[in-house]
Amino acid sequence: ERDEASAAEVILGAGRVYAILRELRTVFLAEYLIAPLGAEAIFASVPGEVHGIGATIAADTLRRKGWDITLLLGLGHSALVEEIARLKPTMVGLSMAQSAMTFPVARLIVALRVRCPQVWVLVGGPVVTDDPDVARIVDADAAARSIDEGVELMENHLADLNRLRSDRA
């Protein structure tokens, strides 16, 4: 209010406050929400993708529903494959904002099929709207044109997994 801070200082301070609030949000959500068995996934940006906002918003959307979401942004191909293999998820959501990411996504999915054969892969983002056949092209299990559609697909897949678990029990 007194104009004592530069624009850069204000932006830096706001970024720090946002980071703190972001960390606290997941703590508060975890106290109130109980997700179904197995409601966990990894969301990642495709190596080379510069837009991580879609994956971040999708992750936040599922966290609000009680899901345990690990968000991986900005990793290279090998590092991303290694991290996903280490975490052993049942579901991975990949964000594709540009059609130029089709080959990197296909390459990533091939690597995941080899390292994590159990993983179910969802692709989402503007590319899916532009090319509804992209899931088949990159060998994904599903594709979502919107976050709401992605959430529905993941919830349905989780319900199928939990039915299989209960049938085996």
Side-chain angles (χ1 to χ4, degrees):
E1 287 180 33
R2 294 185 304 258
D3 205 24
E4 295 175 4
S6 69
E9 290 170 324
V10 170
I11 291 168
L12 184 61
R16 287 183 180 157
V17 169
Y18 178 74
I20 291 167
L21 290 173
R22 184 174 170 79
E23 289 299 314
L24 289 175
R25 179 182 57 214
T26 58
V27 171
F28 296 135
L29 283 174
E31 291 180 16
Y32 298 106
L33 300 174
I34 299 173
L37 175 67
E40 54 191 42
I42 293 174
F43 281 12
S45 59
V46 176
E49 180 65 70
V50 294
H51 303 286
I53 193 72
T56 302
I57 293 170
D60 288 345
T61 299
L62 277 164
R63 285 177 180 142
R64 282 192 297 275
K65 293 176 167 285
W67 283 59
D68 180 11
I69 302 294
T70 300
L71 184 60
L72 302 174
L73 301 175
L75 295 178
H77 176 83
S78 296
L80 183 57
V81 170
E82 289 304 315
E83 187 64 8
I84 291 172
R86 184 185 71 77
L87 294 170
K88 298 179 178 83
T90 55
M91 289 184 248
V92 171
L94 300 174
S95 175
M96 295 177 63
Q98 307 168 29
S99 60
M101 293 294 104
T102 302
F103 178 74
V105 169
R107 179 176 178 241
L108 178 60
I109 291 173
V110 167
L112 292 176
R113 298 283 186 227
V114 171
R115 293 292 308 276
C116 313
Q118 83 287 352
V119 77
W120 181 85
V121 179
L122 169 77
V123 292
V127 173
V128 178
T129 302
D130 296 341
D131 184 359
D133 203 31
V134 73
R136 186 189 58 75
I137 293 167
V138 299
D139 193 32
D141 297 295
R145 290 178 301 273
S146 68
I147 290 173
D148 290 338
E149 183 180 13
V151 168
E152 183 179 344
L153 289 165
M154 292 181 75
E155 287 175 338
N156 290 341
H157 181 66
L158 179 60
D160 291 343
L161 288 176
N162 285 334
R163 272 192 293 279
L164 284 172
R165 286 181 184 129
S166 67
D167 290 347
R168 291 181 186 159

